[in-house]
């Protein structure tokens, strides 16, 4: 909300820049100029009824913002009362920013792309701005939220004030749900010079409210959340309390303190939260949490950059987990120590989904790596008696070990082994294809700036074996995969239900080439051999008696699909096809020879 209001203020003040427009200019020129300056790729802004560009009171009838799916927000009747002369002193002073109504139908699409900058942490500070902004009164009389925004329609009002200056910021907001009197009150401020952080948040919601419904809290009770703290960052503490139906369910504190004898600003931090949260979760999860659930952490930011998480402890009736983690200035791990265990006398539901049940009897996880002593790392993971709506198995194990190098060219190697016993799937066809027991192993080698090298991937399930190797590049290339694989199946009938044909025989295939897992492009060569093949079609099966061979060479790109060679050959038939296909045209050429046509039609004879 603050970001939206800030955009409106900036937009309504941009036109005072010298030389952009004059009061006598056509109103439509200003509207077009603003639209062009504020619109961007994936965002189209339409403004109507803009008036008072050079006066102390600017108004706008309507502003809409649209993306590729259409208008997602509509703002009506905005008024800005402000001081033009304050700009000469480098200040934007707004007496009042009022908005008649804001209609938000949905949340727009977000840019999910990643950047190397996302790996870098920064010290908390108010940014240095070319001008200061002070808004004495913010008021939005009506904000309508569509069902797609929060899962149910809501009508809000917002009032308050805000200010941001060089090294200083404060905000006071009162957000009211007009139809239910639910309220969020926020008062927060920070000053770079004194490092004083003040935070006072008070959230109250009556029974059946938006938040309790979104969180799936049984009975949708009334809720109250408070977070309060006011002290310098060198010695800051905030108290947190969450209550429902008048009873405190979760409470604790967050503390921040400056590190002494540090060459650069660095802080220690800690947090402790605990309580009986069973009234906030479905009854089926009560045995997982028990009467007391606690989360505690302690760590520090490093003066040379990086972070040290000295400990993270999570405990409940069924779960015990501890983690220690250290990242250097390049956010590369120097320490990973994770130990966790979940144990129960009988299968226990996990709080991972409100729909269906995912349960297990026990789980253990362990990861050990400490660069101070060695580059070696090791991990183990095990589950037993796992079951959800689709899958169940008695036991699953994964063990891994390798080397992590953070000096010079960063690299990771791994040797991984895994196994699953008594595997069952709700889909009968898939269950028969996978088998009740399978195991495998692989090794991989990753070095910064190079694709991941996957060697000796092997998977065995009964009489089916898969062996593969190759390289896998990153997200920027659509997960480009290059390599080769070989698969052998001694009994094809296990795949009958999957293809809805009565298969029999045995087959072996080799495939090599490259492809983009996300884009769907490929360039492959396939060679397969089968013996005593049958596909359950009386007219076709006689043609497959004995040894059969299949060859395929094909490419798929953004311009279409090309089949350079598709050949089937055995004692009875020889066929070859080539062709290409795209969205505009296609062609295919087929040449086939059948040695004895009576195999297809007994009344006929000859080749």
């Amino acid at each position: 909300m603050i970001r939206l209001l800030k955009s409106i203020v900036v937009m309504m003040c941009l036109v005072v820049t010298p030389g952009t427009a004059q009061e006598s200019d056509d109103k439509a020129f200003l509207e077009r100029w603003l639209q062009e300056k504020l619109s961007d790729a994936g965002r189209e802004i339409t403004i109507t009824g803009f008036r008072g560009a050079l006066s102390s009171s600017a108004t706008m009838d309507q502003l809409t913002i649209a993306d590729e799916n259409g208008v997602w927000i509509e703002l009506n009747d905005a008024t800005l009362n402000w001081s033009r002369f304050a700009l000469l002193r480098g200040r934007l002073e707004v007496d009042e920013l009022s908005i008649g109504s804001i209609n938000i139908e949905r949340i727009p699409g977000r840019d999910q792309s990643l950047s190397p900058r996302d790996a870098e942490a920064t010290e908390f500070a108010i940014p240095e701005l070319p001008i200061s902004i002070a808004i004495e009164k913010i008021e939005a009389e009506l904000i309508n939220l569509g069902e797609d925004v929060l899962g149910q329609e809501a009508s809000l009002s917002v009032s308050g004030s805000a200010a941001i200056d060089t090294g200083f910021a404060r905000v006071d907001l009162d957000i009211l749900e007009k139809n239910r009197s639910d309220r969020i009150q926020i008062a927060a401020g920070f000053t770079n010079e004194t490092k004083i952080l003040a935070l006072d948040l008070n959230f109250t919601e009556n029974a059946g409210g938006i938040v309790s419904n979104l969180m799936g809290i049984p009975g949708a009770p009334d809720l109250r959340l408070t977070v309060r703290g006011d002290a310098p960052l060198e010695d800051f503490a905030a108290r947190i309390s969450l209550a429902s139906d008048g009873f405190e369910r979760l409470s604790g504190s967050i503390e921040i303190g400056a590190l002494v004898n540090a060459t650069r600003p660095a802080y220690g931090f800690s947090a402790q939260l605990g309580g009986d949260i069973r009234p906030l979760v479905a009854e089926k999860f009560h045995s997982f949490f028990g009467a007391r659930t606690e989360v505690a952490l302690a760590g520090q930011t490093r003066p040379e950059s990086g972070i040290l998480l000295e400990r993270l402890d999570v405990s409940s009736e069924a779960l015990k987990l501890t983690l220690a983690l250290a990242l250097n200035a390049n956010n590369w791990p120097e320490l990973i120590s994770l130990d966790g265990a979940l144990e129960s006398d009988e299968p226990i539901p996990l709080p991972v989904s409100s729909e269906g049940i995912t349960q297990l009897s026990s789980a253990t996880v362990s990861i050990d790596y400490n660069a101070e002593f060695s580059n070696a790392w090791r991990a183990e993971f095990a589950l037993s008696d796992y079951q959800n709506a689709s899958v169940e198995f008695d036991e699953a194990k994964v063990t891994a070990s390798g080397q992590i190098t953070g000096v010079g060219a960063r690299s990771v190697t791994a040797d991984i082994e895994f196994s699953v016993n008594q595997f069952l799937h709700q889909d009968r066809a898939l269950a028969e294809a996978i088998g009740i027991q399978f195991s495998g192993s692989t090794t991989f080698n990753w070095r910064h700036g190079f694709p991941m090298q996957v060697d000796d991937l092997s998977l065995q399930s009964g009489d089916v074996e898969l062996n593969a190797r190759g390289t896998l590049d990153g997200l920027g290339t659509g997960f480009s995969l290059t390599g080769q694989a070989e698969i052998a199946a001694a009994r094809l009938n296990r795949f009958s239900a999957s293809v809805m044909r009565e298969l029999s025989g045995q087959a072996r295939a080799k495939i090599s080439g490259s492809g983009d897992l996300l884009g769907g492009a490929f360039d492959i060569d396939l060679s397969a051999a089968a013996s005593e093949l049958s596909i359950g079609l009386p007219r076709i099966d006689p043609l497959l008696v004995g040894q059969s061979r299949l060859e395929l060479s094909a490419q798929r790109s953004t311009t279409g699909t090309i089949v350079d060679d598709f050949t089937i050959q055995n004692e009875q038939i020889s066929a070859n096809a080539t062709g290409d296909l795209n969205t505009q045209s296609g062609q295919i050429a087929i040449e086939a020879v059948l040695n004895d046509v009576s195999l297809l039609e007994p009344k006929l004879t000859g080749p």
Side-chain angles (χ1 to χ4, degrees):
M1 178 57 64
I2 296 175
R3 183 177 298 176
L4 174 62
L5 294 175
K6 179 181 176 183
S7 299
I8 296 168
V9 172
V10 173
M11 176 206 68
M12 299 184 73
C13 296
L14 275 174
V15 295
V16 304
T17 305
T20 57
Q22 297 180 3
E23 193 68 33
S24 60
D25 284 347
D26 183 8
K27 177 184 65 174
F29 171 80
L30 285 175
E31 294 172 356
R32 289 196 303 270
W33 185 86
L34 284 171
Q35 290 169 179
E36 292 172 358
K37 294 296 182 183
L38 296 175
S39 296
D40 199 353
R43 181 183 69 224
E44 181 179 350
I45 294 180
T46 303
I47 300 169
T48 56
F50 187 85
R51 295 176 293 274
L54 299 179
S55 70
S56 60
S57 180
T59 62
M60 179 177 59
D61 290 344
Q62 187 180 75
L63 178 146
T64 63
I65 304 177
D67 57 16
E68 64 274 10
N69 297 316
V71 173
W72 62 272
I73 184 170
E74 177 186 278
L75 183 147
N76 300 296
D77 301 327
T79 300
L80 176 71
N81 294 320
W82 66 301
S83 172
R84 293 170 293 163
F85 301 106
L87 284 179
L88 300 176
R89 304 192 304 271
R91 293 181 57 81
L92 172 59
E93 295 181 355
V94 179
D95 295 326
E96 180 179 355
L97 171 64
S98 63
I99 303 170
S101 65
I102 301 175
N103 300 316
I104 305 176
E105 293 298 324
R106 56 183 173 83
I107 300 298
R110 295 182 176 88
D111 181 9
Q112 300 292 341
S113 60
L114 297 178
S115 164
R117 293 190 178 186
D118 296 321
E120 299 177 359
T122 57
E123 181 183 359
F124 177 67
I126 302 301
E128 303 294 327
L129 298 178
I131 64 171
S132 61
I133 301 174
I135 307 175
E136 290 302 318
K137 182 179 180 180
I138 300 171
E139 186 167 0
E141 297 179 2
L142 179 61
I143 302 176
N144 294 315
L145 302 180
E147 186 175 354
D148 291 341
V149 178
L150 295 176
Q152 64 184 76
E153 294 183 352
S155 296
L156 312 177
S157 66
V158 177
S159 62
S161 63
I164 183 168
D165 201 343
T166 298
F168 167 78
R170 69 168 175 82
V171 61
D172 290 279
L173 289 179
D174 187 353
I175 305 172
L176 175 68
E177 213 290 330
K178 303 187 70 170
N179 298 326
R180 297 174 34 83
S181 299
D182 301 335
R183 175 172 256 124
I184 302 175
Q185 295 171 304
I186 304 172
F190 183 77
T191 304
N192 285 353
E193 183 178 356
T194 63
K195 299 294 184 182
I196 293 178
L197 173 64
L199 176 62
D200 190 347
L201 182 148
N202 188 23
F203 165 70
T204 57
E205 178 180 84
N206 297 315
I210 295 174
V211 174
S212 60
N213 280 311
L214 284 176
M215 295 177 61
I217 299 176
D222 61 83
L223 297 176
R224 179 182 176 89
L225 172 67
T226 59
V227 181
R228 292 190 175 94
D230 188 349
L233 278 182
E234 286 80 359
D235 188 20
F236 178 82
R239 178 72 182 175
I240 301 172
S241 176
L242 174 63
S244 69
D245 288 332
F247 294 93
E248 189 173 69
R249 308 302 184 186
L250 187 69
S251 63
S253 62
I254 297 175
E255 298 179 355
I256 302 174
L259 299 180
V260 296
N261 300 325
T263 57
R264 295 174 58 187
Y267 296 90
F269 56 86
S270 64
Q272 287 187 325
L273 292 171
D276 183 357
I277 64 172
R278 287 177 295 182
L280 304 179
V281 300
E283 185 177 358
K284 62 184 178 182
F285 301 134
H286 287 188
S287 58
F288 177 88
F289 290 103
R292 183 76 180 174
T293 298
E294 293 185 340
V295 177
L297 66 86
Q300 63 184 54
T301 61
R302 292 176 162 182
E304 66 277 9
S305 190
I307 190 170
L308 171 62
L309 181 62
E310 296 168 351
R311 66 180 179 90
L312 169 63
D313 296 328
V314 180
S315 64
S316 69
E317 182 71 23
L319 176 67
K320 299 293 183 291
L321 184 144
T322 62
L323 169 67
L325 175 69
L327 302 178
N328 64 17
N330 295 319
N331 289 303
W332 190 253
E334 293 181 342
L335 168 69
I336 305 174
S337 178
L338 173 64
D339 286 290
L342 187 151
E343 296 183 359
S344 176
D345 295 334
E346 56 186 22
I348 183 172
L350 304 179
V352 294
S353 173
S354 59
E355 299 179 1
I357 295 179
T358 299
Q359 63 183 27
L360 51 78
S361 292
S362 67
T364 59
V365 59
S366 174
I367 302 177
D368 291 301
Y369 169 68
N370 192 333
E372 183 178 354
F373 301 108
S374 171
N375 289 336
W377 68 276
R378 181 171 180 80
E380 295 183 358
F381 179 71
L383 295 176
S384 63
D385 297 329
Y386 178 90
Q387 182 179 4
N388 64 20
S390 302
V391 173
E392 63 179 274
F393 53 80
D394 286 355
E395 185 180 52
K397 289 184 177 180
V398 179
T399 60
S401 62
Q403 300 280 320
I404 297 177
T405 304
V407 179
R410 291 173 291 171
S411 64
V412 179
T413 66
D415 296 301
I416 303 172
E417 295 183 356
F418 57 91
S419 63
V420 177
N421 295 322
Q422 298 303 312
F423 177 87
L424 296 175
H425 197 282
Q426 190 71 19
D427 187 327
R428 176 176 144 311
L430 190 58
E432 291 181 359
I434 295 175
I436 64 172
Q437 180 174 326
F438 56 90
S439 60
S441 63
T442 187
T443 64
F444 74 78
N445 186 329
W446 175 86
R447 188 156 61 103
H448 180 67
F450 294 88
M452 179 186 295
Q453 181 72 38
V454 180
D455 296 317
D456 303 323
L457 170 63
S458 66
L459 176 64
Q460 183 171 2
S461 174
D463 51 16
V464 174
E465 294 185 10
L466 169 68
N467 294 280
R469 61 186 304 153
T471 60
L472 180 64
D473 215 341
L475 181 62
T477 59
F479 286 114
S480 177
L481 176 65
T482 301
Q484 56 190 26
E486 182 175 349
I487 184 170
R491 292 184 306 109
L492 293 176
N493 59 347
R494 66 187 296 167
F495 302 106
S496 295
S498 298
V499 300
M500 292 182 289
R501 292 288 180 190
E502 289 298 326
L503 300 180
S504 64
Q506 55 185 352
R508 179 181 296 271
K510 293 181 180 180
I511 184 172
S512 62
S514 61
D516 296 337
L517 300 183
L518 297 183
F522 61 78
D523 184 349
I524 61 169
D525 291 296
L526 171 68
S527 176
S531 60
E532 303 307 325
L533 184 62
S534 172
I535 61 174
L537 293 175
R539 288 290 184 106
I540 301 298
D541 286 345
L543 304 179
L544 304 177
V545 174
Q547 303 290 325
S548 298
R549 181 176 63 88
L550 181 146
E551 302 286 343
L552 172 65
S553 179
Q555 304 97 41
R556 183 189 186 210
S557 67
T558 56
T559 60
T561 299
I562 298 175
V563 178
D564 294 322
D565 177 47
F566 178 62
T567 299
I568 300 176
Q569 190 170 22
N570 58 30
E571 295 178 0
Q572 292 74 238
I573 190 172
S574 175
N576 175 264
T578 60
D580 62 80
L581 178 67
N582 57 45
T583 56
Q584 303 298 324
S585 63
Q587 62 180 4
I588 186 169
I590 302 174
E591 181 179 352
V593 175
L594 179 61
N595 294 329
D596 185 358
V597 73
S598 66
L599 295 174
L600 283 178
E601 175 51 63
K603 296 180 180 180
L604 302 177
T605 60

